[in-house]
Amino acid sequence: MVSDASPAPAKNPVTLREVAATAGVSVATASKALNGQGRMTAETRERIRETAQRLGFRPNSLAQSLLRRRSFTVGLLTNDTYGRFSLPVMSGISDALVDKGVSVFLCNVEDDQRLGQLHVDAMLDKRVDGIIATGKRIDRHLPVDLSNLGVPVIYAFTQPDPGAIAFVSDDAGGARLAVEHFWRLGRRRIAHVSGPASFAVVHARAQAYRDVLTEKGLPVMEPLLGSWSEAWGHEAVKTLFDGRLSKRGGETPDAVFCGNDQIARGVIDALRERGLGVPGDVGVIGFDNWQIVAEATRPPLTSVDMNLAALGREAGLTLLSLVGGEPAEPGIRKLPCRLVVRQSCGRPPDG
């Protein structure tokens, strides 16, 4: 059956004049109240805002942009096609900006310089208030020149330009959290299995591992470096437990600190195949706190969380400050990691 009812006519948008009339004030006063400007009592400002909300008033974003010389948009550039690192960062950025009425546009530049420049040009054409660059590792620059753009630029989890403002996780501090946790648990033969030597974070974490063991007077096993994969974690266990340990003190480890969660999962699988219990015989800690991996591991994996959402939030707030004309010191700012304790290593007696 086909209805012959006519659709309801489109409702005209509520105007600022209607808000002012309903609130009993002038149009100028209503405009100032809704823009956080002008001198008036807090009660008057709140009454106008409540009236606007009740009537469903939506300010003209184009007019506001022209008035304030801002677009209330921010561009986010990344080459992290998988989104493993950029998505948590973007979540934090959005969290910081949404309450300020600022929208975020994500553009994936992959590793293509031409594509990156196209995205940057498009952002500038749209008059973005600023740009945040993020990536999949902190020692590689995005394939696009972000210097001298005429808008503020912040780097988050990627290599910055000289003299820029950048936010990264404190990888060395995160490694310390893991190794010191093992020490508090009474583990004294702690091995380290990590990723490729071409990554700066691999060396930062390995050095922190060595430093903690030296400070505690424990034997330092030479870190084993390979790929960021479960297969490498599985292979590393063979090296650690098949007697080829003359250069590593001759004893098999009772704990393994891994450079990422995938390696840790491979280590746990290999230990189980050897009849070794986790954490009973060997404790295991990963890095990244990639939840879909850490929580699905058996037993669930203790891991270092890089706090990427918090990192993104700080980057977003700093960009807002720059857009507002507030000064900020250039340089790389390291944000602390946190240890998420699950069942793969246990808790210390005082934890």
Side-chain angles (χ1 to χ4, degrees):
M1 178 177 179
V2 180
S3 173
D4 58 357
S6 300
K11 186 177 180 181
N12 292 328
V14 176
T15 66
L16 182 62
R17 189 175 298 279
E18 290 175 281
V19 174
T22 304
V25 298
S26 68
V27 172
T29 299
S31 176
K32 291 175 182 177
L34 296 176
N35 285 304
Q37 300 172 343
R39 300 176 65 178
M40 65 191 73
T41 66
E43 290 179 353
T44 298
R45 192 182 302 275
E46 186 59 29
R47 184 176 80 251
I48 295 170
R49 288 177 174 172
E50 288 179 352
T51 300
Q53 184 176 14
R54 185 175 73 253
L55 295 178
F57 173 72
R58 295 181 64 85
N60 186 309
S61 59
L62 177 58
Q64 284 197 323
S65 297
L66 293 173
L67 177 66
R68 302 186 188 182
R69 296 185 179 180
R70 287 185 53 188
S71 66
F72 295 91
T73 59
V74 166
L76 178 61
L77 292 171
T78 184
N79 65 346
D80 180 18
T81 55
Y82 192 71
R84 168 65 192 92
F85 301 109
S86 62
L87 289 180
V89 172
M90 184 177 180
S91 172
I93 293 170
S94 297
D95 181 57
L97 302 186
V98 66
D99 289 338
K100 307 296 183 181
V102 179
S103 299
V104 181
F105 294 111
L106 172 65
C107 291
N108 188 348
V109 304
E110 299 176 357
D111 286 310
D112 187 329
Q113 183 176 4
R114 176 181 163 278
L115 180 60
Q117 192 60 55
L118 284 173
H119 283 316
V120 170
D121 290 342
M123 288 179 176
L124 296 178
D125 287 343
K126 293 180 183 299
R127 301 294 191 268
V128 294
D129 294 330
I131 293 175
I132 298 177
T134 185
K136 50 193 173 185
R137 52 190 293 185
I138 65 172
D139 55 357
R140 290 290 185 273
H141 198 285
L142 293 187
V144 62
D145 183 9
L146 299 178
S147 61
N148 303 315
L149 294 183
V151 297
V153 176
I154 298 289
Y155 294 82
F157 204 79
T158 192
Q159 187 177 41
D161 283 330
I165 299 173
F167 292 86
V168 299
S169 299
D170 184 359
D171 285 277
R176 276 187 163 273
L177 288 175
V179 181
E180 289 174 350
H181 185 76
F182 275 141
W183 181 80
R184 288 195 299 272
L185 288 170
R187 309 285 177 162
R188 295 297 181 261
R189 302 185 306 280
I190 305 169
H192 181 38
V193 180
S194 196
S198 59
F199 281 70
V201 295
V202 168
H203 298 284
R205 297 169 189 174
Q207 188 58 53
Y209 156 81
R210 294 187 189 96
D211 290 344
V212 174
L213 294 184
T214 300
E215 292 165 10
K216 303 298 184 183
L218 301 179
V220 180
M221 302 182 186
E222 187 62 25
L224 299 179
L225 308 184
S227 63
W228 299 115
S229 67
E230 291 184 33
W232 163 235
H234 200 282
E235 181 183 340
V237 169
K238 294 180 182 179
T239 302
L240 291 171
F241 287 85
D242 280 352
R244 291 172 286 177
L245 296 168
S246 59
K247 295 182 180 180
R248 304 178 179 87
E251 290 186 284
T252 57
D254 60 5
V256 183
F257 166 45
C258 301
N260 77 350
D261 293 343
Q262 290 161 289
I263 293 173
R265 189 166 181 169
V267 166
I268 289 176
D269 287 345
L271 290 172
R272 183 185 302 110
E273 291 171 8
R274 290 171 174 266
L276 295 172
V278 175
D281 298 312
V282 183
V284 178
I285 294 179
F287 209 106
D288 292 348
N289 192 36
W290 192 3
Q291 285 185 287
I292 60 174
V293 173
E295 294 180 353
T297 302
R298 290 294 175 264
L301 178 66
T302 293
S303 184
V304 177
D305 191 311
M306 293 187 289
N307 280 332
L308 294 179
L311 188 152
R313 178 175 175 78
E314 288 299 314
L317 292 174
T318 302
L319 184 66
L320 280 182
S321 296
L322 292 176
V323 170
E326 298 179 23
E329 286 293 322
I332 298 176
R333 307 177 188 185
K334 294 183 178 181
L335 275 64
C337 299
R338 64 189 178 98
L339 186 67
V340 179
V341 178
R342 298 188 180 90
Q343 285 79 37
S344 68
C345 68
R347 294 180 179 273
D350 58 354

